[in-house]
Amino acid sequence: MSRLSLTADGSHTLLSQQFGVDYHSAHGAIQESRHVFLKHGLMPLLESGQTVIEILEMGFGTGLNALTVRQLAENWPGVQFNFTTFELFPVTEEDIAGINYPELMGVPLDWLTELHAAEWEVSVAITSNFSLRKIRQDFLKVMPRPYPLHSFDVIFYDAFAPRSQPEFWTQEAMRICLAALQPGGVFVTYCAKGQFKRDLRDAGFKVEALPGPPGKREMTRGRVV
Ligand SMILES: C[S@@+](CC[C@H](N)C(=O)[O-])C[C@H]1O[C@@H](n2cnc3c(N)ncnc32)[C@H](O)[C@@H]1O
């Protein structure tokens, strides 16, 4: 039986059997990806004229965020997008067979399947300006970190919500993120819980509450000052 279901914008989400929750917001998976991670994470960097952007994602999952960045990269040929993503429990081809992201986004199906087929642990040039490095390790535990410290411009923090994976929303987890980012770097997430925002601040970020995607009042951005 398929574990795919529709969210409010017509895009699919996938049920995680392991965690008993969906991978995306019921209010719209594609909508949330574009609003939280592109609009409030990537766009300000592009608009500032940056020409190489190092992105770190926590939770590759269905590959939706990577696909939205790959699509965006087509419109910014002068910018190099390097996308590094952690995933400890990869989905199978069967899990996402029939997922409607390529169709709804108006891109070839191959664009998504290539991301899933890409070799793990190494950087793969998917297009002339979009590279993907998938890391199959525990984001919270792997030491030494499999990337240079203070090397990322933006973190897409797309872990399961605090009630499913509370360990991802602690001050300790935020310190791992802080150490990954360059000065001026940006952390974005859909989560807007009060305790989480306090932990983000106490870890050393300047915290902003921003309007959330349709259906959600707020999202959170943290800046390294
Ligand atoms: C909310 S989903 C990510 C959704 C994804 N960004 C997408 O576009 O489909 C969270 C992901 O984190 C992964 N995950 C859970 N614990 C992890 C860990 N300790 N290290 C790395 N990945 C983990 C899960 O398997 C899941 O794919």
Side-chain angles (χ1 to χ4, degrees), residues 23-24 57-59 61-62 64-65 87-88 138-139 158 165:
Y23 277 60
H24 307 95
E57 178 186 48
M58 165 44 223
T62 63
L64 171 59
N65 293 334
E87 179 53 65
L88 193 55
D138 189 329
F139 181 81
D158 204 7
Q165 287 200 292

Side-chain angles (χ1 to χ4, degrees), residues 15-41:
L15 175 67
S16 162
Q17 278 170 332
Q18 188 167 358
F19 296 97
V21 283
D22 284 336
Y23 277 60
H24 307 95
S25 159
H27 299 294
I30 291 181
Q31 207 164 250
E32 181 169 80
S33 173
R34 287 182 171 151
H35 179 93
V36 175
F37 303 110
L38 296 198
K39 180 174 178 194
H40 291 297

Side-chain angles (χ1 to χ4, degrees), residues 35-36 40-41 188 192 208-213 216-221:
H35 179 93
V36 175
H40 291 297
V188 272
E208 294 170 89
L210 300 172
K216 284 193 171 177
R217 201 164 58 86
E218 267 185 18
M219 58 161 281
T220 306
R221 182 161 66 190

Side-chain angles (χ1 to χ4, degrees), residues 13-14 16 18-19 21-24 29 32-33 37 57-67 83 85-91 99 101 116 135-141 156-161 165 167-168 190:
T13 189
L14 176 71
S16 162
Q18 188 167 358
F19 296 97
V21 283
D22 284 336
Y23 277 60
H24 307 95
E32 181 169 80
S33 173
F37 303 110
E57 178 186 48
M58 165 44 223
F60 178 66
T62 63
L64 171 59
N65 293 334
L67 185 64
F83 195 97
T85 181
F86 276 75
E87 179 53 65
L88 193 55
F89 312 105
V91 299
I99 206 160
Y101 303 149
H116 285 275
I135 301 178
R136 193 173 180 173
Q137 301 198 60
D138 189 329
F139 181 81
L140 296 177
K141 297 204 179 121
F156 291 3
Y157 205 67
D158 204 7
F160 285 122
Q165 287 200 292
E167 66 278 19
F168 272 95
Y190 64 85

